[in-house]
Amino acid sequence: MPDLAGIVIIAAVGMAGYWLFPDNLALLTRIVAVALLVLSIDLVTGYCGVATLGQAALFGAGAYAAGIACVNGMTEPLTLVLIGAVAGAVAGLLMGSVMLRAHGLAQLVLSIAIVQLFHEAANKASAYTGGSDGLSGLMVSPLFGVFAFDLWGKTAYLFGLSLLVFVFIALKFVVSSPFGILCRGIKEDPIRVRAMGAFVFPVLLKMFAISGAVAGIGGALAAISTQVVGLDSVSFELSANALVMLVLGGLGTLYGALAGTVIFMGFEHMVSAINPFHWMTMVGALLIGVVLAAPSGLSGLLGTISRATTRGKGGRG
Amino acid sequence: MQTILSIAIDALAYGMALFIICIGLSLTMGLMRVVNLAHGAFAMIAGYIASYAARDLGLGYAAAILLAILGTIVISIPLERLLYRRIYGSTELTQVLMTIGITFCVIGITNYFFGPTLKTIPLPGSLSQPVDVGFRTIAAHRLFVIACGLLVAGGLWFLIEKTSFGIKLRATVDNAAMADALGVRTQAVYAISFTVAVGLAALGGVVGAEFLPIEPYYALRYMVTFLVVVSVGGAGSILGAVAACLLLGAVDTTGRYLMPDFGNFFFYAAVIAIVCVFPRGFFGRAG
C-alpha cells in the first residue's frame, strides 16, 4: 500500500509544519490552497495532456463564489467549500468547452484569454466582487460550530490540511479508475482512443469539471483563511506560477504536484523577502534548468536515480 | 467625427507598433516552430538600451535605435546558441516553460542593473511636435510609427517573396529535411531569421515605447498580448499579422476611448471569438 504510506507522509509533513512553524501558519495555509490549484492543473495537463496557463480562473471562481456567499450570510465553512467546489466545476465546464475546441498553441492562447477575461469581469463587477479593492469582511462561523477561526490561523491550517488529504485520497481513486486510465490514453494518443470507440471530448470535459472542483476548493480555502478575496486570485501570474510549480515537481504525478508547490513557495518566501527581482532571476534559471536537465521534474529525476541504482545493484549481484 | 478620426489614427499607430514587434514572433513561430514567449524580453532589453543611450550617454534618437538593435542582437546570439537550439522541435509546453524562464531571468537581471523604475526614451524635437496634414494635425510620432510599420511590412514581403534568401526560407518552412538535402544551409537560415526576428523586436520595442511603456515587468505584461496577436493572425504570415494587429489595435483602442472602465475586456472577448472561429488564425498554415 504505497498510497497509504504516501498519505500518512503528507499528513505527517503537514503536522510537522504546524509544530515547527507556528508563526507562519498563514503562509502554510496559502501553500495548501495553492497545492490544490497545482493538483487541479496536474489533472488536465499531467493526466490529459491539455496545457493550460489559465487555471487561476477556476481557483478565482471558487474563491469569489465562497466569498460572495459568505458576505451574504452563508457562513458555514464546509458549505462555503462546497459552494467553491461547485462554482469551480461550473467554471471548469465552461473553460473546458471553450478550450477543447482548439489544439496546441491556440488552446494555450484561449486559456490565457479566458483567465484575463475572468480577471476583467471580476474587476468590473465591483458591486459583487469589490473590484480592485478586493472582497473583504468575510466573517466565517466556527467549524462544526465549535472550532472558531482564530487570529493565528491554527483552525484554518488544520482545516486546510484535512481538506488537502481528503482531496488527495479522492484524486488517487480518480486517476487510478478506468476513467483516469482513459485520460492517460487520450494524452498518449487521442486518435487511437477514438478509434477504439471512446469519446474523447466528454471524457476531457469531465476531467475539466473535476479539476475545476479541486481548484474551486483551493480558492474557497484561500478565501476562508485570509478573509479577503483579491483580484490576484484570478490572474495570469498565479496560473503561470502554479504551472511552474507543477513542472518543477513533475507532471502526471500527484506527489510531484505537492512537492513542487512546497519547494517553490518555500523558496519564494525566503528569497523574495530579500529582493523580488532576485527571486524572478532564480525562478527563471530554475525553469531553464528543469527543462534542460530534468524534463520530467524532480519526481522524474528521483525515479531515474532510484531505477539507476537498483539496476546497478542487479547487475553486480 | 473628430473623435472617430483620432481613434482611427491612434488605433493605426498602435496596431503598427504591435505589428513591428509581433511580426518577429510570428516568423519564429511560423518558421522555427518555437513558441518564443521571451520575444517581449528582447523588446524590453532594446528599450532599456535605448533609454540608457539617449538619456545617460546623450546620443540622438536614431543612434539610440541603432545601438539598441545591435545590442539586443549581440545579447540574443549566445541565447540562441545555448538555449533555443535545444528546444527546436520540442513540445509546446517545454518551449513555453523554457522561454518563460528566459523572460524571468531577463526581468530580474535588467532590474538588478537598471533599477525598478519606468524608463523613458526622449523623442527628438522633430517627432514630438504635431504635423499639419491639411484637414487636421497629427502627432509626428504617430506618423513615424505608421511609416516604420509599413516599411517593415514592405521590406519583409520583399525579403521573403523576391530574394534568393526568401526562397530558401520558404523551402525550409515547407520541408526542412528536404531543403537540407538540396543544399540549403538550414541552420544558417534559422540563425539569420532568428536574428531578424530579434532585431524587429528591438526596433518595435523602441519606436513603440510611447504605446507600450518600458517598465520593469514589460516582458511579462505584454507577453500575452504579443502571443495573442500572433495566434490570431496565424504564425508565419505577414498579411495575417498585419490584419490581426490592425483589428486588435482597433478593438483595444476603441474600447479604451469609449468604455475605459472595461479595460481589456473587449480585447480578450474578441480574441476568444476569433480563436474559436479560426483555430489556426486568419492566415495560418494548415498542418
Side-chain angles (χ1 to χ4, degrees), chain A residues 51 98 101 104-106 108-110 112-114 116-117 120 124 236 243 247 251 277-278 280-281 283-285 287-288 291-292, chain B residues 29 83 86 92-94 96-98 101-102 104-105 107-109 111-112 116 217 224 231 261-262 264-265 268-269 272 275-276 279:
Chain A
V98 174
R101 296 172 59 94
L105 178 68
L108 210 57
V109 168
L110 274 180
I112 299 173
I114 290 171
Q116 299 280 20
L117 206 60
E120 294 296 336
K124 189 66 198 111
F236 169 69
L243 185 65
V247 172
L251 282 167
F277 288 113
H278 287 331
M280 291 209 83
T281 317
V283 175
L287 261 180
I288 297 173
V291 170
L292 290 183
Chain B
M29 282 175 31
L83 298 179
R86 293 167 186 258
E92 269 135 11
L93 188 62
T94 313
V96 162
L97 291 168
M98 165 75 96
I102 295 174
F104 280 0
C105 280
I107 292 178
I109 294 170
N111 284 287
Y112 179 73
Y217 288 102
V224 174
S231 72
D261 296 350
F262 280 92
N264 288 323
F265 192 84
Y268 289 109
I272 292 181
V275 174
C276 278

Short mmCIF file of all heavy atoms in Angstrom, two decimals, chain A residues 51 98 101 104-106 108-110 112-114 116-117 120 124 236 243 247 251 277-278 280-281 283-285 287-288 291-292, chain B residues 29 83 86 92-94 96-98 101-102 104-105 107-109 111-112 116 217 224 231 261-262 264-265 268-269 272 275-276 279:
data_model
loop_
_atom_site.label_atom_id
_atom_site.label_comp_id
_atom_site.label_asym_id
_atom_site.label_seq_id
_atom_site.Cartn_x
_atom_site.Cartn_y
_atom_site.Cartn_z
N ALA A 51 -2.35 21.51 -22.04
CA ALA A 51 -1.58 22.53 -21.34
C ALA A 51 -2.45 23.76 -21.12
O ALA A 51 -3.15 24.20 -22.02
CB ALA A 51 -0.35 22.91 -22.15
N VAL A 98 -14.77 25.67 -24.04
CA VAL A 98 -14.14 26.62 -24.97
C VAL A 98 -12.77 26.10 -25.41
O VAL A 98 -12.45 26.04 -26.59
CB VAL A 98 -14.00 28.02 -24.33
CG1 VAL A 98 -13.22 28.94 -25.25
CG2 VAL A 98 -15.37 28.60 -24.05
N ARG A 101 -12.05 23.15 -27.98
CA ARG A 101 -12.33 23.35 -29.41
C ARG A 101 -11.04 23.49 -30.20
O ARG A 101 -11.03 23.27 -31.40
CB ARG A 101 -13.17 24.60 -29.61
CG ARG A 101 -14.54 24.54 -29.00
CD ARG A 101 -15.19 25.89 -29.11
NE ARG A 101 -15.31 26.32 -30.48
CZ ARG A 101 -16.38 26.13 -31.23
NH1 ARG A 101 -17.42 25.53 -30.71
NH2 ARG A 101 -16.43 26.54 -32.48
N GLY A 104 -3.11 22.65 -29.36
CA GLY A 104 -1.77 23.22 -29.38
C GLY A 104 -1.75 24.67 -28.93
O GLY A 104 -2.31 25.02 -27.89
N LEU A 105 -1.10 25.51 -29.74
CA LEU A 105 -0.88 26.89 -29.35
C LEU A 105 -2.20 27.63 -29.16
O LEU A 105 -2.36 28.38 -28.19
CB LEU A 105 -0.04 27.58 -30.42
CG LEU A 105 0.20 29.04 -30.12
CD1 LEU A 105 1.09 29.17 -28.90
CD2 LEU A 105 0.81 29.74 -31.30
N ALA A 106 -3.16 27.43 -30.07
CA ALA A 106 -4.43 28.14 -29.97
C ALA A 106 -5.10 27.83 -28.63
O ALA A 106 -5.69 28.70 -27.99
CB ALA A 106 -5.34 27.76 -31.13
N LEU A 108 -3.58 27.07 -25.81
CA LEU A 108 -2.85 27.79 -24.77
C LEU A 108 -3.30 29.25 -24.73
O LEU A 108 -3.54 29.82 -23.67
CB LEU A 108 -1.35 27.69 -25.07
CG LEU A 108 -0.38 27.73 -23.93
CD1 LEU A 108 -0.70 26.63 -22.94
CD2 LEU A 108 1.03 27.57 -24.45
N VAL A 109 -3.43 29.84 -25.93
CA VAL A 109 -3.84 31.24 -26.02
C VAL A 109 -5.27 31.40 -25.48
O VAL A 109 -5.57 32.36 -24.77
CB VAL A 109 -3.74 31.74 -27.46
CG1 VAL A 109 -4.42 33.08 -27.63
CG2 VAL A 109 -2.29 31.83 -27.87
N LEU A 110 -6.14 30.44 -25.79
CA LEU A 110 -7.51 30.51 -25.28
C LEU A 110 -7.51 30.49 -23.76
O LEU A 110 -8.24 31.24 -23.12
CB LEU A 110 -8.33 29.33 -25.81
CG LEU A 110 -8.98 29.52 -27.16
CD1 LEU A 110 -9.75 28.28 -27.55
CD2 LEU A 110 -9.90 30.72 -27.15
N ILE A 112 -5.23 31.53 -21.75
CA ILE A 112 -4.79 32.84 -21.25
C ILE A 112 -5.90 33.86 -21.39
O ILE A 112 -6.20 34.63 -20.47
CB ILE A 112 -3.54 33.32 -22.01
CG1 ILE A 112 -2.39 32.35 -21.82
CG2 ILE A 112 -3.14 34.69 -21.55
CD1 ILE A 112 -1.19 32.67 -22.67
N ALA A 113 -6.56 33.86 -22.57
CA ALA A 113 -7.62 34.83 -22.81
C ALA A 113 -8.75 34.65 -21.80
O ALA A 113 -9.32 35.63 -21.32
CB ALA A 113 -8.14 34.69 -24.24
N ILE A 114 -9.06 33.38 -21.46
CA ILE A 114 -10.16 33.14 -20.52
C ILE A 114 -9.81 33.69 -19.13
O ILE A 114 -10.63 34.36 -18.50
CB ILE A 114 -10.48 31.63 -20.44
CG1 ILE A 114 -11.12 31.18 -21.76
CG2 ILE A 114 -11.41 31.34 -19.28
CD1 ILE A 114 -11.26 29.70 -21.88
N GLN A 116 -7.78 36.08 -18.41
CA GLN A 116 -7.78 37.56 -18.47
C GLN A 116 -9.20 38.09 -18.49
O GLN A 116 -9.51 39.11 -17.88
CB GLN A 116 -7.03 38.05 -19.71
CG GLN A 116 -5.58 37.63 -19.76
CD GLN A 116 -4.70 38.50 -18.89
OE1 GLN A 116 -5.16 39.16 -17.99
NE2 GLN A 116 -3.41 38.48 -19.16
N LEU A 117 -10.09 37.38 -19.18
CA LEU A 117 -11.49 37.79 -19.26
C LEU A 117 -12.13 37.70 -17.87
O LEU A 117 -12.85 38.61 -17.45
CB LEU A 117 -12.22 36.88 -20.25
CG LEU A 117 -13.44 37.46 -20.93
CD1 LEU A 117 -13.06 38.68 -21.73
CD2 LEU A 117 -14.05 36.43 -21.86
N GLU A 120 -10.88 40.64 -15.84
CA GLU A 120 -11.56 41.90 -16.16
C GLU A 120 -12.98 41.89 -15.62
O GLU A 120 -13.48 42.90 -15.13
CB GLU A 120 -11.57 42.14 -17.67
CG GLU A 120 -10.20 42.37 -18.28
CD GLU A 120 -9.55 43.65 -17.77
OE1 GLU A 120 -10.29 44.55 -17.32
OE2 GLU A 120 -8.32 43.72 -17.80
N LYS A 124 -14.60 44.43 -13.04
CA LYS A 124 -15.71 45.29 -13.46
C LYS A 124 -16.91 45.14 -12.53
O LYS A 124 -17.56 46.13 -12.20
CB LYS A 124 -16.10 44.90 -14.89
CG LYS A 124 -17.09 45.83 -15.54
CD LYS A 124 -16.48 47.21 -15.75
CE LYS A 124 -17.57 48.24 -15.98
NZ LYS A 124 -17.71 49.18 -14.89
N PHE A 236 -3.21 35.87 -14.45
CA PHE A 236 -2.34 35.07 -15.30
C PHE A 236 -1.08 34.68 -14.53
O PHE A 236 -0.58 33.55 -14.67
CB PHE A 236 -1.98 35.88 -16.54
CG PHE A 236 -0.89 35.30 -17.37
CD1 PHE A 236 -1.09 34.13 -18.07
CD2 PHE A 236 0.35 35.91 -17.43
CE1 PHE A 236 -0.08 33.58 -18.83
CE2 PHE A 236 1.37 35.36 -18.19
CZ PHE A 236 1.15 34.20 -18.89
N LEU A 243 1.71 26.56 -12.78
CA LEU A 243 2.20 25.62 -13.78
C LEU A 243 3.69 25.34 -13.57
O LEU A 243 4.14 24.19 -13.69
CB LEU A 243 1.96 26.17 -15.20
CG LEU A 243 2.33 25.21 -16.32
CD1 LEU A 243 1.43 24.00 -16.29
CD2 LEU A 243 2.25 25.89 -17.67
N VAL A 247 5.50 21.72 -12.95
CA VAL A 247 6.58 21.20 -13.78
C VAL A 247 7.81 20.92 -12.94
O VAL A 247 8.53 19.95 -13.16
CB VAL A 247 6.89 22.19 -14.92
CG1 VAL A 247 8.13 21.77 -15.66
CG2 VAL A 247 5.71 22.26 -15.85
N LEU A 251 5.19 16.47 -13.91
CA LEU A 251 3.85 16.33 -14.47
C LEU A 251 3.36 14.91 -14.31
O LEU A 251 4.14 13.96 -14.37
CB LEU A 251 3.88 16.65 -15.97
CG LEU A 251 3.92 18.11 -16.40
CD1 LEU A 251 4.28 18.18 -17.86
CD2 LEU A 251 2.58 18.75 -16.14
N PHE A 277 13.32 40.83 -7.36
CA PHE A 277 13.88 40.60 -8.70
C PHE A 277 14.90 39.47 -8.68
O PHE A 277 15.04 38.75 -9.66
CB PHE A 277 14.48 41.89 -9.26
CG PHE A 277 13.42 42.87 -9.64
CD1 PHE A 277 13.26 44.06 -8.96
CD2 PHE A 277 12.54 42.59 -10.67
CE1 PHE A 277 12.26 44.94 -9.30
CE2 PHE A 277 11.54 43.47 -11.02
CZ PHE A 277 11.39 44.66 -10.34
N HIS A 278 15.60 39.30 -7.54
CA HIS A 278 16.45 38.11 -7.42
C HIS A 278 15.62 36.85 -7.55
O HIS A 278 16.03 35.86 -8.15
CB HIS A 278 17.15 38.09 -6.06
CG HIS A 278 18.24 39.09 -5.94
ND1 HIS A 278 18.95 39.51 -7.03
CD2 HIS A 278 18.75 39.75 -4.87
CE1 HIS A 278 19.85 40.38 -6.64
NE2 HIS A 278 19.75 40.56 -5.35
N MET A 280 12.84 36.47 -9.25
CA MET A 280 12.48 36.21 -10.65
C MET A 280 13.63 35.57 -11.40
O MET A 280 13.45 34.61 -12.15
CB MET A 280 12.11 37.53 -11.33
CG MET A 280 10.83 38.11 -10.82
SD MET A 280 10.00 39.08 -12.06
CE MET A 280 9.14 37.83 -12.95
N THR A 281 14.84 36.11 -11.19
CA THR A 281 16.01 35.53 -11.86
C THR A 281 16.16 34.07 -11.48
O THR A 281 16.43 33.21 -12.31
CB THR A 281 17.29 36.29 -11.45
OG1 THR A 281 17.00 37.68 -11.48
CG2 THR A 281 18.43 35.99 -12.39
N VAL A 283 13.84 31.90 -10.30
CA VAL A 283 12.81 31.04 -10.87
C VAL A 283 13.11 30.79 -12.35
O VAL A 283 12.98 29.66 -12.83
CB VAL A 283 11.42 31.69 -10.75
CG1 VAL A 283 10.38 30.86 -11.45
CG2 VAL A 283 11.05 31.85 -9.32
N GLY A 284 13.54 31.85 -13.04
CA GLY A 284 13.86 31.71 -14.45
C GLY A 284 14.95 30.68 -14.66
O GLY A 284 14.83 29.77 -15.49
N ALA A 285 16.04 30.82 -13.89
CA ALA A 285 17.16 29.90 -14.03
C ALA A 285 16.71 28.47 -13.70
O ALA A 285 17.09 27.50 -14.36
CB ALA A 285 18.30 30.33 -13.12
N LEU A 287 13.71 27.21 -14.02
CA LEU A 287 12.89 26.69 -15.11
C LEU A 287 13.75 26.18 -16.25
O LEU A 287 13.55 25.08 -16.77
CB LEU A 287 11.99 27.80 -15.64
CG LEU A 287 10.57 27.83 -15.15
CD1 LEU A 287 9.85 28.99 -15.77
CD2 LEU A 287 9.90 26.54 -15.55
N ILE A 288 14.74 27.01 -16.64
CA ILE A 288 15.63 26.61 -17.73
C ILE A 288 16.35 25.32 -17.34
O ILE A 288 16.45 24.38 -18.13
CB ILE A 288 16.65 27.74 -18.03
CG1 ILE A 288 15.90 28.98 -18.52
CG2 ILE A 288 17.65 27.29 -19.07
CD1 ILE A 288 16.76 30.19 -18.69
N VAL A 291 13.99 22.31 -17.57
CA VAL A 291 13.73 21.91 -18.95
C VAL A 291 14.94 21.19 -19.54
O VAL A 291 14.80 20.19 -20.24
CB VAL A 291 13.37 23.15 -19.81
CG1 VAL A 291 13.33 22.79 -21.28
CG2 VAL A 291 12.04 23.71 -19.38
N LEU A 292 16.15 21.70 -19.24
CA LEU A 292 17.34 21.11 -19.85
C LEU A 292 17.75 19.81 -19.16
O LEU A 292 18.11 18.84 -19.82
CB LEU A 292 18.51 22.10 -19.78
CG LEU A 292 18.39 23.33 -20.67
CD1 LEU A 292 19.64 24.17 -20.56
CD2 LEU A 292 18.15 22.92 -22.12
N MET B 29 7.73 31.64 -34.78
CA MET B 29 6.78 30.56 -34.55
C MET B 29 6.40 29.86 -35.82
O MET B 29 6.20 28.65 -35.84
CB MET B 29 5.55 31.09 -33.83
CG MET B 29 5.87 31.29 -32.37
SD MET B 29 4.62 32.02 -31.36
CE MET B 29 3.15 31.51 -32.08
N LEU B 83 20.54 28.02 -25.71
CA LEU B 83 19.26 27.59 -25.17
C LEU B 83 18.25 27.23 -26.26
O LEU B 83 17.67 26.16 -26.25
CB LEU B 83 18.68 28.68 -24.27
CG LEU B 83 19.54 29.00 -23.05
CD1 LEU B 83 18.90 30.10 -22.23
CD2 LEU B 83 19.71 27.76 -22.18
N ARG B 86 18.27 23.94 -28.30
CA ARG B 86 17.89 22.69 -27.64
C ARG B 86 16.40 22.44 -27.66
O ARG B 86 15.96 21.34 -27.39
CB ARG B 86 18.36 22.71 -26.19
CG ARG B 86 19.86 22.70 -26.09
CD ARG B 86 20.26 23.05 -24.67
NE ARG B 86 21.70 23.19 -24.58
CZ ARG B 86 22.48 22.26 -24.06
NH1 ARG B 86 21.96 21.15 -23.62
NH2 ARG B 86 23.76 22.46 -24.00
N GLU B 92 5.17 22.00 -27.16
CA GLU B 92 4.87 23.39 -26.85
C GLU B 92 5.10 23.71 -25.38
O GLU B 92 5.61 24.77 -25.03
CB GLU B 92 3.42 23.72 -27.21
CG GLU B 92 3.27 24.24 -28.60
CD GLU B 92 2.11 23.60 -29.32
OE1 GLU B 92 1.31 22.92 -28.66
OE2 GLU B 92 2.02 23.77 -30.54
N LEU B 93 4.71 22.75 -24.51
CA LEU B 93 4.84 23.02 -23.07
C LEU B 93 6.30 23.26 -22.70
O LEU B 93 6.63 24.19 -21.97
CB LEU B 93 4.27 21.85 -22.28
CG LEU B 93 4.18 22.09 -20.79
CD1 LEU B 93 3.25 23.24 -20.48
CD2 LEU B 93 3.71 20.85 -20.05
N THR B 94 7.20 22.44 -23.25
CA THR B 94 8.63 22.61 -22.98
C THR B 94 9.10 23.98 -23.43
O THR B 94 9.81 24.69 -22.71
CB THR B 94 9.43 21.53 -23.73
OG1 THR B 94 8.81 20.28 -23.50
CG2 THR B 94 10.85 21.49 -23.28
N VAL B 96 7.32 26.67 -23.96
CA VAL B 96 6.72 27.73 -23.15
C VAL B 96 7.48 27.89 -21.85
O VAL B 96 7.83 29.00 -21.43
CB VAL B 96 5.24 27.39 -22.88
CG1 VAL B 96 4.70 28.19 -21.72
CG2 VAL B 96 4.40 27.66 -24.10
N LEU B 97 7.81 26.75 -21.20
CA LEU B 97 8.49 26.83 -19.91
C LEU B 97 9.87 27.43 -20.05
O LEU B 97 10.26 28.32 -19.29
CB LEU B 97 8.59 25.43 -19.31
CG LEU B 97 7.25 24.86 -18.90
CD1 LEU B 97 7.38 23.40 -18.59
CD2 LEU B 97 6.70 25.61 -17.72
N MET B 98 10.62 26.96 -21.04
CA MET B 98 11.98 27.47 -21.25
C MET B 98 11.95 28.97 -21.51
O MET B 98 12.71 29.73 -20.91
CB MET B 98 12.60 26.73 -22.44
CG MET B 98 13.83 27.38 -22.99
SD MET B 98 15.23 27.13 -21.95
CE MET B 98 15.98 25.73 -22.75
N GLY B 101 11.09 30.97 -18.56
CA GLY B 101 12.28 31.03 -17.70
C GLY B 101 13.23 32.12 -18.16
O GLY B 101 13.73 32.91 -17.36
N ILE B 102 13.46 32.19 -19.49
CA ILE B 102 14.35 33.24 -20.02
C ILE B 102 13.77 34.61 -19.71
O ILE B 102 14.49 35.53 -19.30
CB ILE B 102 14.53 33.04 -21.54
CG1 ILE B 102 15.26 31.72 -21.81
CG2 ILE B 102 15.30 34.20 -22.15
CD1 ILE B 102 15.36 31.36 -23.27
N PHE B 104 11.80 35.53 -17.22
CA PHE B 104 12.00 35.85 -15.80
C PHE B 104 13.43 36.30 -15.55
O PHE B 104 13.68 37.28 -14.85
CB PHE B 104 11.69 34.63 -14.93
CG PHE B 104 10.22 34.42 -14.69
CD1 PHE B 104 9.28 35.28 -15.23
CD2 PHE B 104 9.76 33.36 -13.93
CE1 PHE B 104 7.94 35.10 -15.01
CE2 PHE B 104 8.41 33.17 -13.70
CZ PHE B 104 7.50 34.03 -14.24
N CYS B 105 14.40 35.56 -16.14
CA CYS B 105 15.81 35.92 -15.93
C CYS B 105 16.08 37.32 -16.46
O CYS B 105 16.75 38.11 -15.80
CB CYS B 105 16.71 34.92 -16.66
SG CYS B 105 16.93 33.42 -15.75
N ILE B 107 14.01 39.81 -16.86
CA ILE B 107 13.40 40.82 -15.99
C ILE B 107 14.24 41.03 -14.74
O ILE B 107 14.57 42.16 -14.36
CB ILE B 107 11.96 40.40 -15.61
CG1 ILE B 107 11.05 40.44 -16.83
CG2 ILE B 107 11.41 41.31 -14.53
CD1 ILE B 107 9.64 40.00 -16.54
N GLY B 108 14.61 39.90 -14.11
CA GLY B 108 15.39 40.01 -12.87
C GLY B 108 16.72 40.70 -13.09
O GLY B 108 17.10 41.60 -12.32
N ILE B 109 17.42 40.34 -14.17
CA ILE B 109 18.77 40.87 -14.38
C ILE B 109 18.72 42.34 -14.79
O ILE B 109 19.46 43.18 -14.26
CB ILE B 109 19.51 40.02 -15.43
CG1 ILE B 109 19.73 38.61 -14.86
CG2 ILE B 109 20.84 40.65 -15.78
CD1 ILE B 109 20.23 37.62 -15.87
N ASN B 111 16.50 44.53 -14.07
CA ASN B 111 16.13 45.38 -12.96
C ASN B 111 17.22 45.44 -11.91
O ASN B 111 17.34 46.44 -11.19
CB ASN B 111 14.82 44.91 -12.34
CG ASN B 111 13.67 45.30 -13.21
OD1 ASN B 111 13.32 46.46 -13.27
ND2 ASN B 111 13.12 44.36 -13.94
N TYR B 112 18.04 44.41 -11.85
CA TYR B 112 19.18 44.46 -10.94
C TYR B 112 20.15 45.55 -11.39
O TYR B 112 20.68 46.30 -10.59
CB TYR B 112 19.87 43.10 -10.92
CG TYR B 112 21.07 43.06 -10.03
CD1 TYR B 112 20.94 43.06 -8.65
CD2 TYR B 112 22.35 43.03 -10.57
CE1 TYR B 112 22.04 43.03 -7.83
CE2 TYR B 112 23.47 42.99 -9.76
CZ TYR B 112 23.30 43.00 -8.39
OH TYR B 112 24.39 42.98 -7.57
N PRO B 116 14.26 49.41 -10.59
CA PRO B 116 12.86 49.16 -10.94
C PRO B 116 12.06 50.43 -11.19
O PRO B 116 11.12 50.73 -10.48
CB PRO B 116 12.34 48.41 -9.72
CG PRO B 116 13.16 48.94 -8.60
CD PRO B 116 14.50 49.29 -9.16
N TYR B 217 8.22 45.20 -15.61
CA TYR B 217 7.55 43.95 -15.95
C TYR B 217 7.07 43.92 -17.39
O TYR B 217 6.18 43.15 -17.75
CB TYR B 217 6.38 43.71 -14.99
CG TYR B 217 6.84 43.33 -13.61
CD1 TYR B 217 6.84 44.24 -12.58
CD2 TYR B 217 7.30 42.05 -13.35
CE1 TYR B 217 7.29 43.90 -11.31
CE2 TYR B 217 7.74 41.70 -12.10
CZ TYR B 217 7.73 42.63 -11.08
OH TYR B 217 8.18 42.27 -9.84
N VAL B 224 1.52 38.23 -23.19
CA VAL B 224 0.24 37.67 -23.57
C VAL B 224 -0.29 38.38 -24.82
O VAL B 224 -0.75 37.75 -25.76
CB VAL B 224 -0.74 37.81 -22.41
CG1 VAL B 224 -2.12 37.39 -22.83
CG2 VAL B 224 -0.27 36.99 -21.24
N SER B 231 -1.25 34.40 -32.61
CA SER B 231 -2.12 33.24 -32.83
C SER B 231 -3.41 33.67 -33.54
O SER B 231 -4.02 32.85 -34.22
CB SER B 231 -2.41 32.53 -31.52
OG SER B 231 -3.27 33.30 -30.76
N ASP B 261 -13.70 51.96 -18.57
CA ASP B 261 -13.86 51.15 -17.37
C ASP B 261 -13.61 49.67 -17.63
O ASP B 261 -13.23 48.93 -16.75
CB ASP B 261 -15.29 51.29 -16.82
CG ASP B 261 -15.56 52.70 -16.37
OD1 ASP B 261 -14.58 53.47 -16.31
OD2 ASP B 261 -16.72 53.03 -16.10
N PHE B 262 -13.86 49.24 -18.86
CA PHE B 262 -13.81 47.82 -19.13
C PHE B 262 -12.40 47.30 -19.39
O PHE B 262 -12.20 46.11 -19.52
CB PHE B 262 -14.71 47.46 -20.31
CG PHE B 262 -16.15 47.35 -19.92
CD1 PHE B 262 -16.99 48.44 -20.01
CD2 PHE B 262 -16.65 46.16 -19.45
CE1 PHE B 262 -18.31 48.34 -19.63
CE2 PHE B 262 -17.96 46.05 -19.07
CZ PHE B 262 -18.81 47.15 -19.17
N ASN B 264 -9.31 45.73 -20.67
CA ASN B 264 -9.01 44.82 -21.78
C ASN B 264 -10.14 43.86 -22.09
O ASN B 264 -9.95 42.91 -22.83
CB ASN B 264 -7.76 44.00 -21.45
CG ASN B 264 -6.53 44.85 -21.51
OD1 ASN B 264 -6.42 45.73 -22.35
ND2 ASN B 264 -5.60 44.61 -20.61
N PHE B 265 -11.31 44.10 -21.51
CA PHE B 265 -12.39 43.14 -21.63
C PHE B 265 -12.69 42.81 -23.10
O PHE B 265 -12.73 41.64 -23.49
CB PHE B 265 -13.64 43.70 -20.96
CG PHE B 265 -14.73 42.70 -20.77
CD1 PHE B 265 -14.73 41.86 -19.68
CD2 PHE B 265 -15.74 42.58 -21.70
CE1 PHE B 265 -15.72 40.93 -19.50
CE2 PHE B 265 -16.74 41.66 -21.54
CZ PHE B 265 -16.73 40.83 -20.44
N TYR B 268 -9.93 40.71 -25.02
CA TYR B 268 -9.89 39.26 -24.81
C TYR B 268 -11.16 38.58 -25.29
O TYR B 268 -11.12 37.44 -25.75
CB TYR B 268 -9.60 38.95 -23.35
CG TYR B 268 -8.18 39.28 -23.01
CD1 TYR B 268 -7.85 40.36 -22.22
CD2 TYR B 268 -7.15 38.54 -23.57
CE1 TYR B 268 -6.54 40.68 -21.95
CE2 TYR B 268 -5.84 38.86 -23.32
CZ TYR B 268 -5.54 39.92 -22.51
OH TYR B 268 -4.24 40.24 -22.27
N ALA B 269 -12.31 39.27 -25.20
CA ALA B 269 -13.54 38.69 -25.75
C ALA B 269 -13.38 38.49 -27.26
O ALA B 269 -13.73 37.43 -27.79
CB ALA B 269 -14.72 39.60 -25.44
N ILE B 272 -11.09 35.44 -27.91
CA ILE B 272 -11.74 34.13 -27.75
C ILE B 272 -12.63 33.84 -28.95
O ILE B 272 -12.60 32.74 -29.52
CB ILE B 272 -12.55 34.10 -26.44
CG1 ILE B 272 -11.59 34.15 -25.26
CG2 ILE B 272 -13.40 32.84 -26.35
CD1 ILE B 272 -12.26 34.11 -23.93
N VAL B 275 -10.35 33.08 -32.06
CA VAL B 275 -9.63 31.80 -32.00
C VAL B 275 -10.60 30.63 -32.12
O VAL B 275 -10.27 29.58 -32.69
CB VAL B 275 -8.78 31.71 -30.72
CG1 VAL B 275 -8.15 30.35 -30.58
CG2 VAL B 275 -7.70 32.77 -30.73
N CYS B 276 -11.83 30.80 -31.59
CA CYS B 276 -12.80 29.71 -31.72
C CYS B 276 -13.22 29.52 -33.18
O CYS B 276 -13.41 28.40 -33.63
CB CYS B 276 -14.03 30.00 -30.86
SG CYS B 276 -13.79 29.54 -29.15
N PRO B 279 -9.24 28.48 -35.62
CA PRO B 279 -8.26 27.93 -34.68
C PRO B 279 -6.82 28.09 -35.15
O PRO B 279 -5.91 28.06 -34.33
CB PRO B 279 -8.65 26.45 -34.60
CG PRO B 279 -10.03 26.37 -35.12
CD PRO B 279 -10.18 27.48 -36.10
#
